[in-house]
Each structure stands twice: as structure tokens, then as C-alpha cells.
């Protein structure tokens, strides 16, 4: 297994990782590895599923028009379509 050395890690980030490691009952190394794995591992959806989901979203948004500041404000006040 490889060894990785990180340099110039901000103290705030190290503190946050230590807190999360303690909460999750992991070592700092285990917590860091878990977070790297989670950020680099596919989320479980295939490319085809993601495309299908985007097509469904696109179909739902059809006819709404461009998403402008005015549209967003209207959605906040009147509700979403």
C-alpha cells in the first residue's frame, strides 16, 4: 500500500478532521482516507441513469422559459412550478 504525505494543510482543516474522526470513532488517518474514498467513488448511478434523470428534469422544465433573477424571485414568492 502506498504512503502519501500532505504538506501545508491548513490548521483549521486538521482540527475539523480531528473532530470528525473522534465523532466517527476513527483515527485521523482513517477519517482522511474515508473522505478521500467518498469524494472519488462514483455515487452509484450509471452514466445512463444520470442522463435519463437529466432528461426527465429537462422535460419538467420545458415551457418555463429562461431562469432569470425575476423567475427565481417569483418562485420564492409564489412557489415552484
Amino acid at each position: 500500500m502506498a504512503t502519501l504525505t500532505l504538506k501545508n494543510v491548513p490548521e483549521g482543516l486538521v482540527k475539523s478532521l480531528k473532530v470528525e474522526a473522534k465523532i466517527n470513532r476513527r483515527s485521523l488517518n482513517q477519517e482522511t482516507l474515508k473522505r478521500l474514498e467518498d469524494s472519488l467513488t462514483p455515487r452509484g448511478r450509471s452514466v445512463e441513469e444520470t442522463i435519463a434523470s437529466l432528461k426527465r428534469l429537462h422535460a419538467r422544465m420545458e415551457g418555463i422559459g429562461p431562469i432569470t433573477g425575476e423567475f427565481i424571485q417569483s418562485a420564492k414568492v409564489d412557489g415552484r412550478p
Side-chain angles (χ1 to χ4, degrees):
M1 205 172 274
T3 298
L4 177 67
T5 302
L6 298 175
K7 296 180 181 181
N8 303 317
V9 180
E11 279 301 315
L13 180 57
V14 173
K15 285 180 183 179
S16 296
L17 277 168
K18 285 181 179 180
V19 168
E20 292 298 313
K22 187 173 183 176
I23 290 169
N24 294 316
R25 297 179 178 195
R26 296 184 185 117
S27 68
L28 182 57
N29 188 71
Q30 289 169 327
E31 185 68 27
T32 304
L33 286 174
K34 174 73 171 127
R35 289 178 176 260
L36 279 171
E37 286 173 359
D38 289 350
S39 70
L40 297 172
T41 302
R43 301 278 191 270
R45 285 206 306 190
S46 68
V47 172
E48 292 80 13
E49 290 170 323
T50 302
I51 291 171
S53 176
L54 289 170
K55 284 181 178 179
R56 287 192 300 274
L57 176 61
H58 186 263
R60 284 182 30 215
M61 299 296 288
E62 201 168 316
I64 290 177
I67 298 178
T68 61
E70 183 178 309
F71 173 81
I72 292 170
Q73 186 59 35
S74 169
K76 288 179 181 177
V77 174
D78 302 331
R80 286 152 180 82

